[in-house]
Amino acid sequence: MLAASFGSWAQSTAPTPQAPASAASAAATPATPATSAASAASAKTLAPVTVTGTRDRLGQTYQSGITSVGKMPVPAKDIPQSLTVVNDKLIHDQGKDSLKSALENVVGITFEAGEGGRVGDNIRLRGFSAAGDIYQDGMRDIAQYNRDTFNVERVEVLRGAASMLFGRGSTGGIINQVSKQPRLITEHEVNATVGTGNYLRLQGDFNFKLADDAALRINAMTTDGDGRGDKASATTQRRGLALDYRFGIGTANEFEVSYYHLNYNDKPDWGFQWLEGRPAAAPTNKYWYGLDSDFQKDKADVVTLSHTHRWADGSSLKTTVRDGHYARDMWATQSKFAVGTTLANLTDNTVVTRNNNSKSGKEHHTFLQTDYLTTTDWFGRENSLLIGGEYAVENSSRSIYPFLANALFTANGLLPKPSTTVGNPSSAGVSRNLTEQVATQFKATTLGLYLQDTIELAKNWKLVGGLRIDRFQGDYDRSGNVAPNNTALSRSDTLLSKRLGLMYQPTDEVSYYAAYGTSFNTSGDLYQFDPQSANTPPESSRNMEIGAKWELYGGDLSLRTALARTDKYNERNTDIDTANNSYLLSGKRHTDALEFEIAGRITPQWDVFAGVGFLRAFIDKSGTNAAGLLEVGQNPGLSPSRQATLFTTYRIGDTWRIGGGLTAVSQNKPANAVTTNVTDPATGVTTTILNPNRAPGYVKADLLAEYRVSEGNTVKLNIDNLFDKVYYNTLYRGFAAPGDARSVRLTLTSKF
């Protein structure tokens, strides 16, 4: 508007053209300096005027906007799959500082403790593991670490099988983190947060326009805080830095160079063993039973180079190379009550035994990805084409601490860590020998080629179809293990993935769709084989979905709903095909999902983000042994039947904004823990029964109050878990970890 106003003003003040006679008379009159200057000014052409201003967070909503999660930049309504976007405004308003906390807004998401040899973010999506389905800017981010939000513009959750777009994995969907990028404007934002539990977070976002087509963006973060525990507690200490330089922005050749660094030095909280089929809520939600010598030290260093070439007809070719180095190192405590403890005899004097959970490893990932986008007319129909390829080399090593279980602790059958009591836990550290020994090394090489076409079938009708072929090779070096588990293992697979979607869009505000997609999971998805899995073909899955998306209130409010079914129809189970020494792919399970979600602005003052989800997950087929037969018809775990999330804010005048939200989850249970074996101490007979462990459902509430001090300066108060609800949202078959207790945080935001 300002540019248009300036143009109107310039036209109104320009010299008015004269009649021909007057012009001739003027030409005969000797020119004065003033008239010469006026003539010169009138002959000039005004240069284009670009008007810029500071981005105002008030102008944003919680809507998704344009997304590239489908590898093509389109509005969310043009993607025939369920998509949830947690954007920067929602993350900021809620004060979310980690990927895990940001994902609490997404129905269908649950969290597993970092077990099974893993650390870091361990996510389930529609009940299926998504630990290998985390992405950063559309490229795989499978390394084991806890991700922060300091350099995240938005988090995109695409549900349903998507191997055609992303290759192996993606049974339940994928999680894509979109990084902040430099823009052609100089603006900065600083956030300083203090809170209960000695919480202190400083975050800076600095964007510099360096030239007409070049910009630099710097994001930095430091975070310190305590976890639960009245006497001693788990802690976090995080540091992050992201540098991103873009040049040639908007020209035929655009380049981008970025560096990302994150490290943390934590005392991790690994929860507590189940007691009589439920979390031992009191006092394990109050005290932390780890030791001061515990630690989790992880880091990520990633360099990304990208080049985009644009043609005059709108076609583009983007090529990206990423090289990342990751390291993890953990020595943590797993706690449980002494044998014989029950809810009836639990007191402050009850003994707590503590064992060690140690993990260490390094990863080096190199990715090359290229995507060509173009639009053509074939047979009178518009076609939007995606042609791409991906080459990946992923190296992973896992180490052990062979000297932790030394004679000092193993004598007389003692555990590696001293016991304590329920009501007076001791956190005094113990000495340990942290000499690492590499146990295994895995190298995965992947080559993927894919083609997708979006065709305008007829007015208001679009068809999306795509194919991808992947060649996956895994080589597993186990020489650091003890015989017979020290032999090398390898396997290679070639897989074809498919995607098909039909969209009916009667208006620009409405889209109805039906979609089908496939996915596969190789035995080496997460960098390990055993002698049977090295001979086992990939698992296969499919997703079928119908849904609708609407843009309401002039496009200010987005509403979507979807009904989906995901089938893993040849799941690995423990039965062995003796002829091939491989696991049988005879298992089957499915999840039915119904979702509703709204995001946006109901009135200019009223923002809302909300979702409701229903899941029905069942094991259809399993092994032939007693445990397998008992599992049939059961929920596989981490698939709660109901979830809901709400966050809303309302602006009062020019200075105040208030709001809050709710998170609700029905009863849940750990994954892969459908059955358990119970031994009768009197007879010694072992019986397989259904695992009784369940985490109760919960509802927790959050509050927000924000005051605008001046232009560009605000003070925000967040109260999370307002009523200090004790709830458990991180589950594993051996233990459960509680969610965060009530916290109060005050944030000063300054934009300049």
Side-chain angles (χ1 to χ4, degrees):
M1 285 182 63
L2 290 176
S5 299
F6 183 86
S8 300
W9 176 84
Q11 290 177 357
S12 66
T13 57
T16 302
Q18 296 178 325
S22 301
S25 176
T29 304
T32 65
T35 59
S36 297
S39 299
S42 65
K44 288 183 179 180
T45 300
L46 290 174
V49 176
T50 301
V51 178
T52 59
T54 302
R55 178 187 61 172
D56 191 350
R57 195 180 297 278
L58 305 180
Q60 301 178 16
T61 72
Y62 297 145
Q63 291 172 284
S64 60
I66 301 298
T67 174
S68 294
V69 71
K71 295 188 181 291
M72 303 180 73
V74 295
K77 69 182 183 67
D78 287 339
I79 295 180
Q81 277 179 255
S82 297
L83 172 66
T84 299
V85 175
V86 181
N87 68 11
D88 177 56
K89 177 178 172 61
L90 184 59
I91 292 172
H92 177 272
D93 285 352
Q94 295 178 330
K96 301 298 190 183
D97 63 0
S98 68
L99 175 64
K100 179 181 176 182
S101 62
L103 288 174
E104 291 176 352
N105 289 290
V106 183
V107 295
I109 290 276
T110 51
F111 303 100
E112 186 173 13
E115 260 292 1
R118 289 190 59 81
V119 299
D121 295 314
N122 215 356
I123 301 163
R124 294 261 167 170
L125 183 50
R126 286 183 175 170
F128 298 95
S129 175
D133 301 320
I134 303 175
Y135 288 77
Q136 184 176 7
D137 302 318
M139 302 183 77
R140 195 177 296 273
D141 182 28
I142 200 175
Q144 299 182 39
Y145 65 104
N146 295 314
R147 293 154 182 84
D148 195 280
T149 59
F150 80 96
N151 193 46
V152 172
E153 188 71 35
R154 63 184 184 273
V155 179
E156 304 169 323
V157 180
L158 183 70
R159 297 169 180 81
S163 286
M164 183 259 125
L165 293 170
F166 297 99
R168 71 183 193 269
S170 72
T171 302
I174 66 102
I175 297 107
N176 182 46
Q177 308 156 92
V178 179
S179 302
K180 296 177 181 179
Q181 281 193 316
R183 302 180 306 276
L184 292 176
I185 182 174
T186 295
E187 64 173 3
H188 314 298
E189 180 175 320
V190 175
N191 290 274
T193 304
V194 295
T196 54
N198 297 315
Y199 185 85
L200 174 63
R201 181 176 173 93
L202 302 175
Q203 186 176 338
D205 182 355
F206 308 98
N207 192 92
F208 302 90
K209 179 182 177 182
L210 303 181
D212 289 341
D213 64 351
L216 170 68
R217 193 164 185 175
I218 303 172
N219 274 272
M221 173 276 300
T222 175
T223 301
D224 296 281
D226 295 340
R228 64 185 175 95
D230 286 356
K231 296 184 178 181
S233 69
T235 62
T236 186
Q237 184 184 82
R238 283 174 275 161
R239 305 291 182 264
L241 175 66
L243 307 174
D244 197 336
Y245 175 56
R246 292 172 69 199
F247 58 98
I249 300 174
T251 67
N253 288 286
E254 180 177 319
F255 298 86
E256 184 171 4
V257 181
S258 67
Y259 168 70
Y260 176 88
H261 171 77
L262 174 68
N263 75 77
Y264 49 91
N265 185 0
D266 294 357
K267 290 180 184 176
D269 185 351
W270 281 74
F272 208 90
Q273 188 185 44
W274 301 86
L275 179 63
E276 296 184 358
R278 58 181 174 176
T284 59
N285 63 291
K286 181 179 181 181
Y287 295 125
W288 176 69
Y289 292 92
L291 277 69
D292 288 337
S293 50
D294 289 358
F295 63 83
Q296 183 174 348
K297 300 177 181 179
D298 300 344
K299 67 176 182 177
D301 290 280
V302 184
V303 175
T304 305
L305 308 176
S306 178
H307 169 246
T308 301
H309 180 73
R310 303 181 180 93
W311 284 269
D313 65 356
S315 302
S316 66
L317 176 67
K318 182 176 182 179
T319 302
T320 305
V321 178
R322 174 170 295 159
D323 191 72
H325 289 263
Y326 312 87
R328 61 187 184 277
D329 198 11
M330 187 182 75
W331 196 65
T333 298
Q334 287 182 311
S335 305
K336 61 182 180 180
F337 296 120
V339 176
T341 302
T342 66
L343 289 171
N345 63 23
L346 179 64
T347 69
D348 282 351
N349 296 321
T350 298
V351 173
V352 174
T353 60
R354 298 185 285 197
N355 211 332
N356 192 57
N357 186 350
S358 59
K359 296 179 176 69
S360 180
K362 293 180 173 59
E363 293 171 89
H364 178 201
H365 299 166
T366 303
F367 299 100
L368 170 64
Q369 184 171 299
T370 185
D371 291 307
Y372 174 67
L373 306 178
T374 190
T375 301
T376 64
D377 286 316
W378 289 344
F379 308 107
R381 297 288 182 264
E382 182 177 292
N383 294 258
S384 298
L385 284 172
L386 161 67
I387 304 172
E390 176 188 1
Y391 179 70
V393 179
E394 301 161 74
N395 289 282
S396 175
S397 67
R398 296 184 179 184
S399 302
I400 59 175
Y401 297 116
F403 298 105
L404 279 177
N406 56 36
L408 174 64
F409 294 119
T410 56
N412 302 317
L414 295 177
L415 295 172
K417 292 185 176 179
S419 62
T420 186
T421 59
V422 165
N424 189 28
S426 169
S427 62
V430 298
S431 60
R432 70 274 192 209
N433 187 333
L434 295 178
T435 302
E436 286 188 51
Q437 175 183 313
V438 176
T440 62
Q441 298 181 79
F442 193 100
K443 181 177 182 180
T445 304
T446 305
L447 176 63
L449 301 173
Y450 45 92
L451 169 66
Q452 178 179 277
D453 190 8
T454 303
I455 308 171
E456 296 273 0
L457 289 178
K459 184 180 180 181
N460 304 329
W461 289 88
K462 294 179 182 178
L463 179 68
V464 179
L467 293 172
R468 173 172 175 144
I469 188 168
D470 282 277
R471 175 70 174 180
F472 177 85
Q473 171 72 41
D475 296 292
Y476 195 33
D477 180 352
R478 305 190 297 165
S479 57
N481 284 344
V482 178
N485 299 318
N486 59 351
T487 57
L489 300 170
S490 65
R491 179 174 180 85
S492 62
D493 294 287
T494 301
L495 285 306
L496 182 68
S497 303
K498 301 172 283 292
R499 185 186 191 213
L500 189 65
L502 179 65
M503 292 180 285
Y504 173 57
Q505 300 173 328
T507 69
D508 289 340
E509 294 79 27
V510 179
S511 180
Y512 303 99
Y513 68 88
Y516 173 84
T518 67
S519 68
F520 66 92
N521 295 88
T522 68
S523 299
D525 272 3
L526 297 179
Y527 309 143
Q528 59 183 347
F529 286 135
D530 61 34
Q532 286 76 39
S533 64
N535 298 323
T536 305
E539 299 173 315
S540 298
S541 305
R542 59 180 167 242
N543 183 76
M544 294 170 285
E545 182 174 319
I546 57 173
K549 302 179 183 182
W550 298 272
E551 300 296 318
L552 309 176
Y553 297 104
D556 287 342
L557 185 69
S558 299
L559 168 65
R560 74 166 185 87
T561 184
L563 177 64
R565 183 184 181 101
T566 303
D567 288 288
K568 180 172 279 191
Y569 52 86
N570 64 340
E571 189 171 32
R572 287 186 292 271
N573 62 49
T574 55
D575 287 344
I576 304 297
D577 180 349
T578 55
N580 300 314
N581 191 34
S582 63
Y583 294 115
L584 287 174
L585 295 176
S586 57
K588 182 179 179 181
R589 54 175 289 198
H590 76 272
T591 299
D592 297 323
L594 174 63
E595 298 168 350
F596 302 90
E597 185 177 276
I598 60 173
R601 184 163 288 169
I602 298 176
T603 71
Q605 297 80 28
W606 187 6
D607 289 315
V608 63
F609 183 97
V612 178
F614 303 89
L615 292 180
R616 292 180 69 252
F618 288 97
I619 297 174
D620 300 295
K621 294 181 181 179
S622 190
T624 59
N625 57 20
L629 295 175
L630 198 59
E631 287 181 347
V632 174
Q634 300 298 316
N635 184 309
L638 287 182
S639 306
S641 60
R642 300 176 304 280
Q643 287 180 276
T645 180
L646 166 69
F647 192 81
T648 183
T649 64
Y650 191 84
R651 180 164 296 282
I652 303 173
D654 294 329
T655 56
W656 283 98
R657 193 161 60 106
I658 60 172
L662 298 171
T663 302
V665 180
S666 63
Q667 178 180 273
N668 202 3
K669 69 176 184 178
N672 306 321
V674 180
T675 62
T676 188
N677 293 324
V678 176
T679 301
D680 186 333
T683 64
V685 176
T686 299
T687 305
T688 300
I689 64 171
L690 291 175
N691 194 313
N693 294 338
R694 300 290 187 274
Y698 64 89
V699 178
K700 76 177 185 74
D702 304 321
L703 284 184
L704 160 74
E706 183 182 74
Y707 178 72
R708 190 171 186 174
V709 179
S710 61
E711 183 68 29
N713 295 284
T714 59
V715 176
K716 178 169 62 75
L717 176 70
N718 289 97
I719 304 178
D720 296 335
N721 195 1
L722 176 66
F723 301 107
D724 206 17
K725 175 71 176 179
V726 177
Y727 67 99
Y728 292 80
N729 65 345
T730 304
L731 310 179
Y732 188 65
R733 58 179 176 263
F735 56 92
D740 293 333
R742 178 172 52 223
S743 65
V744 181
R745 299 182 182 183
L746 190 67
T747 301
L748 172 64
T749 299
S750 180
K751 296 179 285 187
F752 52 95

